Amino acid sequence: MTIRLLIVDDQELVRTGLRLFLTTQDGLEVVGEASDGDEALDLALRTRPDVILMDVRMPRVDGVEATARLTAAGIDPPPRVLILTTFDLDEYVFGALRAGAAGFLLKDASRERLLEAVRVVHAGDALLSPSITRRLIEDFATRTSPLSPPDGLLAGLTPRERETLVLVARGLSNAEIAAHLVVTEATVKSHIGAVFAKLHLRDRAQAVVFAYEHGIVTPGSP
């Protein structure tokens, strides 16, 4: 299967460098380039990419707003947005995740890490760079008043589904969750799918944010 890519960055040299590298990789095809978020939305509607490499700071419409618009555009199937930026700033991390981004990678990542990130988000998983994951948890550790979950949502989870949500929020992989719960990975995937459906979550990134924001897990708890 070929992964169709859209590159969004206001710097032409960056776009060119990414395109020249990505087009040499097996199973990848660059279907378009955009210089800002407004152009990205138009191209996404026309070219239907699988994964969008999205810069953050751009003129007119930035990457966070563009991601939100893409999420709301109703594209079927929806493209997976991988935020690729030089700015390791919390405001962009949280804004991008809440807008619907599937991953957040810094531009100083290696080529191998970039390829891995593209394939991970295309497969339906979420990806955050280690430094961003650490800062995400540190930020939640400073909050003293978690939000209350919407009425009835958590009540709809079975005990095993809630336990699975906690383990996802802890950053465990499907294999690690399966070992912890002494079940198969297929069963774990089924639990995760049920959690996403019942809590109206798109992916693991949203599940992590939801769990910490609503006090389902807290930094440092067992």
Side-chain angles (χ1 to χ4, degrees), residues 137-163:
I137 294 174
E138 287 173 352
D139 178 86
F140 282 116
T142 65
R143 301 185 184 190
T144 58
S145 301
L147 302 173
S148 297
D151 290 342
L153 278 184
L154 290 185
L157 298 181
T158 66
R160 185 48 60 91
E161 288 167 356
R162 181 161 179 153
E163 188 174 6

mmCIF file of all heavy atoms in Angstrom, residues 137-163:
data_model
loop_
_atom_site.group_PDB
_atom_site.id
_atom_site.type_symbol
_atom_site.label_atom_id
_atom_site.label_comp_id
_atom_site.label_asym_id
_atom_site.label_seq_id
_atom_site.Cartn_x
_atom_site.Cartn_y
_atom_site.Cartn_z
ATOM 1 N N ILE A 137 3.093 15.485 30.514
ATOM 2 C CA ILE A 137 2.811 14.969 31.847
ATOM 3 C C ILE A 137 3.199 15.986 32.914
ATOM 4 O O ILE A 137 2.490 16.183 33.906
ATOM 5 C CB ILE A 137 3.545 13.638 32.061
ATOM 6 C CG1 ILE A 137 2.957 12.577 31.119
ATOM 7 C CG2 ILE A 137 3.438 13.176 33.508
ATOM 8 C CD1 ILE A 137 3.699 11.264 31.127
ATOM 9 N N GLU A 138 4.322 16.682 32.715
ATOM 10 C CA GLU A 138 4.734 17.701 33.685
ATOM 11 C C GLU A 138 3.702 18.809 33.790
ATOM 12 O O GLU A 138 3.429 19.335 34.869
ATOM 13 C CB GLU A 138 6.091 18.285 33.283
ATOM 14 C CG GLU A 138 7.255 17.322 33.520
ATOM 15 C CD GLU A 138 8.558 17.866 32.950
ATOM 16 O OE1 GLU A 138 8.521 18.906 32.237
ATOM 17 O OE2 GLU A 138 9.614 17.262 33.206
ATOM 18 N N ASP A 139 3.103 19.181 32.674
ATOM 19 C CA ASP A 139 2.090 20.236 32.691
ATOM 20 C C ASP A 139 0.880 19.806 33.506
ATOM 21 O O ASP A 139 0.366 20.564 34.321
ATOM 22 C CB ASP A 139 1.671 20.587 31.264
ATOM 23 C CG ASP A 139 0.584 21.660 31.236
ATOM 24 O OD1 ASP A 139 0.930 22.856 31.266
ATOM 25 O OD2 ASP A 139 -0.606 21.294 31.215
ATOM 26 N N PHE A 140 0.421 18.571 33.292
ATOM 27 C CA PHE A 140 -0.725 18.094 34.042
ATOM 28 C C PHE A 140 -0.415 17.991 35.536
ATOM 29 O O PHE A 140 -1.301 18.127 36.378
ATOM 30 C CB PHE A 140 -1.198 16.744 33.504
ATOM 31 C CG PHE A 140 -1.993 16.857 32.244
ATOM 32 C CD1 PHE A 140 -1.522 16.307 31.067
ATOM 33 C CD2 PHE A 140 -3.211 17.518 32.219
ATOM 34 C CE1 PHE A 140 -2.252 16.407 29.892
ATOM 35 C CE2 PHE A 140 -3.948 17.631 31.047
ATOM 36 C CZ PHE A 140 -3.468 17.073 29.885
ATOM 37 N N ALA A 141 0.867 17.747 35.867
ATOM 38 C CA ALA A 141 1.250 17.635 37.276
ATOM 39 C C ALA A 141 1.074 18.949 38.012
ATOM 40 O O ALA A 141 0.932 18.970 39.241
ATOM 41 C CB ALA A 141 2.705 17.172 37.386
ATOM 42 N N THR A 142 1.071 20.077 37.300
ATOM 43 C CA THR A 142 0.938 21.386 37.936
ATOM 44 C C THR A 142 -0.524 21.782 38.122
ATOM 45 O O THR A 142 -0.813 22.789 38.745
ATOM 46 C CB THR A 142 1.631 22.469 37.091
ATOM 47 O OG1 THR A 142 0.945 22.605 35.836
ATOM 48 C CG2 THR A 142 3.085 22.104 36.846
ATOM 49 N N ARG A 143 -1.459 21.002 37.594
ATOM 50 C CA ARG A 143 -2.871 21.354 37.663
ATOM 51 C C ARG A 143 -3.491 20.758 38.927
ATOM 52 O O ARG A 143 -3.284 19.593 39.248
ATOM 53 C CB ARG A 143 -3.616 20.838 36.436
ATOM 54 C CG ARG A 143 -3.038 21.405 35.135
ATOM 55 C CD ARG A 143 -3.866 20.987 33.944
ATOM 56 N NE ARG A 143 -3.245 21.457 32.701
ATOM 57 C CZ ARG A 143 -3.830 21.416 31.521
ATOM 58 N NH1 ARG A 143 -5.050 20.930 31.416
ATOM 59 N NH2 ARG A 143 -3.206 21.845 30.450
ATOM 60 N N THR A 144 -4.238 21.533 39.639
ATOM 61 C CA THR A 144 -4.837 21.066 40.889
ATOM 62 C C THR A 144 -6.323 20.793 40.766
ATOM 63 O O THR A 144 -6.925 20.222 41.653
ATOM 64 C CB THR A 144 -4.633 22.123 41.995
ATOM 65 O OG1 THR A 144 -5.209 23.366 41.572
ATOM 66 C CG2 THR A 144 -3.154 22.321 42.284
ATOM 67 N N SER A 145 -6.939 21.196 39.680
ATOM 68 C CA SER A 145 -8.389 21.031 39.531
ATOM 69 C C SER A 145 -8.723 20.363 38.201
ATOM 70 O O SER A 145 -9.048 21.035 37.214
ATOM 71 C CB SER A 145 -9.097 22.391 39.613
ATOM 72 O OG SER A 145 -8.835 23.027 40.835
ATOM 73 N N PRO A 146 -8.646 19.019 38.145
ATOM 74 C CA PRO A 146 -9.000 18.344 36.899
ATOM 75 C C PRO A 146 -10.470 18.540 36.564
ATOM 76 O O PRO A 146 -11.306 18.774 37.432
ATOM 77 C CB PRO A 146 -8.697 16.870 37.207
ATOM 78 C CG PRO A 146 -8.754 16.767 38.692
ATOM 79 C CD PRO A 146 -8.254 18.090 39.208
ATOM 80 N N LEU A 147 -10.763 18.458 35.293
ATOM 81 C CA LEU A 147 -12.143 18.598 34.836
ATOM 82 C C LEU A 147 -12.951 17.361 35.213
ATOM 83 O O LEU A 147 -12.400 16.277 35.410
ATOM 84 C CB LEU A 147 -12.168 18.765 33.313
ATOM 85 C CG LEU A 147 -11.373 19.943 32.736
ATOM 86 C CD1 LEU A 147 -11.368 19.847 31.216
ATOM 87 C CD2 LEU A 147 -11.972 21.264 33.181
ATOM 88 N N SER A 148 -14.258 17.514 35.314
ATOM 89 C CA SER A 148 -15.129 16.364 35.521
ATOM 90 C C SER A 148 -15.517 15.792 34.158
ATOM 91 O O SER A 148 -15.872 16.555 33.258
ATOM 92 C CB SER A 148 -16.393 16.779 36.276
ATOM 93 O OG SER A 148 -16.071 17.248 37.569
ATOM 94 N N PRO A 149 -15.470 14.476 34.007
ATOM 95 C CA PRO A 149 -15.873 13.894 32.728
ATOM 96 C C PRO A 149 -17.344 14.179 32.454
ATOM 97 O O PRO A 149 -18.138 14.325 33.385
ATOM 98 C CB PRO A 149 -15.643 12.395 32.937
ATOM 99 C CG PRO A 149 -14.715 12.292 34.101
ATOM 100 C CD PRO A 149 -15.017 13.477 34.959
ATOM 101 N N PRO A 150 -17.734 14.292 31.197
ATOM 102 C CA PRO A 150 -19.150 14.487 30.866
ATOM 103 C C PRO A 150 -19.999 13.397 31.511
ATOM 104 O O PRO A 150 -19.596 12.239 31.581
ATOM 105 C CB PRO A 150 -19.163 14.382 29.332
ATOM 106 C CG PRO A 150 -17.774 14.764 28.922
ATOM 107 C CD PRO A 150 -16.876 14.264 30.011
ATOM 108 N N ASP A 151 -21.156 13.778 31.992
ATOM 109 C CA ASP A 151 -22.037 12.846 32.697
ATOM 110 C C ASP A 151 -22.287 11.583 31.875
ATOM 111 O O ASP A 151 -22.618 11.642 30.700
ATOM 112 C CB ASP A 151 -23.384 13.507 33.001
ATOM 113 C CG ASP A 151 -23.264 14.602 34.057
ATOM 114 O OD1 ASP A 151 -22.237 14.606 34.766
ATOM 115 O OD2 ASP A 151 -24.172 15.451 34.146
ATOM 116 N N GLY A 152 -22.124 10.456 32.524
ATOM 117 C CA GLY A 152 -22.486 9.184 31.915
ATOM 118 C C GLY A 152 -21.416 8.539 31.068
ATOM 119 O O GLY A 152 -21.473 7.339 30.802
ATOM 120 N N LEU A 153 -20.405 9.301 30.610
ATOM 121 C CA LEU A 153 -19.400 8.714 29.723
ATOM 122 C C LEU A 153 -18.614 7.607 30.410
ATOM 123 O O LEU A 153 -18.505 6.487 29.904
ATOM 124 C CB LEU A 153 -18.452 9.790 29.193
ATOM 125 C CG LEU A 153 -18.940 10.606 27.988
ATOM 126 C CD1 LEU A 153 -17.851 11.553 27.523
ATOM 127 C CD2 LEU A 153 -19.352 9.696 26.845
ATOM 128 N N LEU A 154 -18.028 7.929 31.561
ATOM 129 C CA LEU A 154 -17.220 6.923 32.242
ATOM 130 C C LEU A 154 -18.080 5.776 32.749
ATOM 131 O O LEU A 154 -17.618 4.633 32.822
ATOM 132 C CB LEU A 154 -16.447 7.556 33.400
ATOM 133 C CG LEU A 154 -15.319 8.505 33.003
ATOM 134 C CD1 LEU A 154 -14.563 8.976 34.234
ATOM 135 C CD2 LEU A 154 -14.362 7.833 32.034
ATOM 136 N N ALA A 155 -19.325 6.060 33.098
ATOM 137 C CA ALA A 155 -20.216 4.999 33.570
ATOM 138 C C ALA A 155 -20.474 3.969 32.476
ATOM 139 O O ALA A 155 -20.804 2.812 32.765
ATOM 140 C CB ALA A 155 -21.537 5.598 34.048
ATOM 141 N N GLY A 156 -20.279 4.384 31.235
ATOM 142 C CA GLY A 156 -20.507 3.470 30.128
ATOM 143 C C GLY A 156 -19.360 2.520 29.871
ATOM 144 O O GLY A 156 -19.497 1.575 29.084
ATOM 145 N N LEU A 157 -18.222 2.749 30.519
ATOM 146 C CA LEU A 157 -17.070 1.867 30.350
ATOM 147 C C LEU A 157 -17.171 0.674 31.284
ATOM 148 O O LEU A 157 -17.563 0.808 32.442
ATOM 149 C CB LEU A 157 -15.764 2.613 30.640
ATOM 150 C CG LEU A 157 -15.394 3.810 29.767
ATOM 151 C CD1 LEU A 157 -14.058 4.385 30.223
ATOM 152 C CD2 LEU A 157 -15.351 3.438 28.304
ATOM 153 N N THR A 158 -16.788 -0.484 30.787
ATOM 154 C CA THR A 158 -16.679 -1.642 31.664
ATOM 155 C C THR A 158 -15.416 -1.481 32.516
ATOM 156 O O THR A 158 -14.522 -0.680 32.171
ATOM 157 C CB THR A 158 -16.564 -2.944 30.859
ATOM 158 O OG1 THR A 158 -15.310 -2.930 30.144
ATOM 159 C CG2 THR A 158 -17.713 -3.078 29.873
ATOM 160 N N PRO A 159 -15.302 -2.208 33.638
ATOM 161 C CA PRO A 159 -14.079 -2.122 34.452
ATOM 162 C C PRO A 159 -12.818 -2.413 33.636
ATOM 163 O O PRO A 159 -11.794 -1.739 33.806
ATOM 164 C CB PRO A 159 -14.297 -3.173 35.537
ATOM 165 C CG PRO A 159 -15.787 -3.241 35.685
ATOM 166 C CD PRO A 159 -16.324 -3.051 34.294
ATOM 167 N N ARG A 160 -12.869 -3.373 32.737
ATOM 168 C CA ARG A 160 -11.690 -3.698 31.934
ATOM 169 C C ARG A 160 -11.389 -2.594 30.931
ATOM 170 O O ARG A 160 -10.214 -2.283 30.684
ATOM 171 C CB ARG A 160 -11.914 -5.037 31.224
ATOM 172 C CG ARG A 160 -10.710 -5.567 30.421
ATOM 173 C CD ARG A 160 -9.396 -5.527 31.178
ATOM 174 N NE ARG A 160 -9.352 -6.297 32.384
ATOM 175 C CZ ARG A 160 -8.959 -7.563 32.465
ATOM 176 N NH1 ARG A 160 -8.610 -8.222 31.372
ATOM 177 N NH2 ARG A 160 -8.895 -8.162 33.634
ATOM 178 N N GLU A 161 -12.406 -1.958 30.378
ATOM 179 C CA GLU A 161 -12.176 -0.851 29.453
ATOM 180 C C GLU A 161 -11.567 0.337 30.180
ATOM 181 O O GLU A 161 -10.667 0.999 29.650
ATOM 182 C CB GLU A 161 -13.493 -0.452 28.779
ATOM 183 C CG GLU A 161 -13.984 -1.464 27.763
ATOM 184 C CD GLU A 161 -15.417 -1.234 27.335
ATOM 185 O OE1 GLU A 161 -16.078 -0.324 27.893
ATOM 186 O OE2 GLU A 161 -15.902 -1.970 26.449
ATOM 187 N N ARG A 162 -12.025 0.613 31.387
ATOM 188 C CA ARG A 162 -11.456 1.717 32.151
ATOM 189 C C ARG A 162 -9.999 1.425 32.500
ATOM 190 O O ARG A 162 -9.150 2.316 32.429
ATOM 191 C CB ARG A 162 -12.267 1.960 33.424
ATOM 192 C CG ARG A 162 -11.715 3.120 34.244
ATOM 193 C CD ARG A 162 -12.715 3.667 35.221
ATOM 194 N NE ARG A 162 -12.140 4.751 36.008
ATOM 195 C CZ ARG A 162 -12.826 5.726 36.536
ATOM 196 N NH1 ARG A 162 -14.137 5.783 36.336
ATOM 197 N NH2 ARG A 162 -12.250 6.667 37.248
ATOM 198 N N GLU A 163 -9.704 0.185 32.863
ATOM 199 C CA GLU A 163 -8.323 -0.198 33.162
ATOM 200 C C GLU A 163 -7.455 -0.036 31.916
ATOM 201 O O GLU A 163 -6.314 0.426 31.990
ATOM 202 C CB GLU A 163 -8.285 -1.640 33.651
ATOM 203 C CG GLU A 163 -6.924 -2.082 34.176
ATOM 204 C CD GLU A 163 -6.963 -3.468 34.773
ATOM 205 O OE1 GLU A 163 -8.006 -4.144 34.678
ATOM 206 O OE2 GLU A 163 -5.932 -3.886 35.351
#
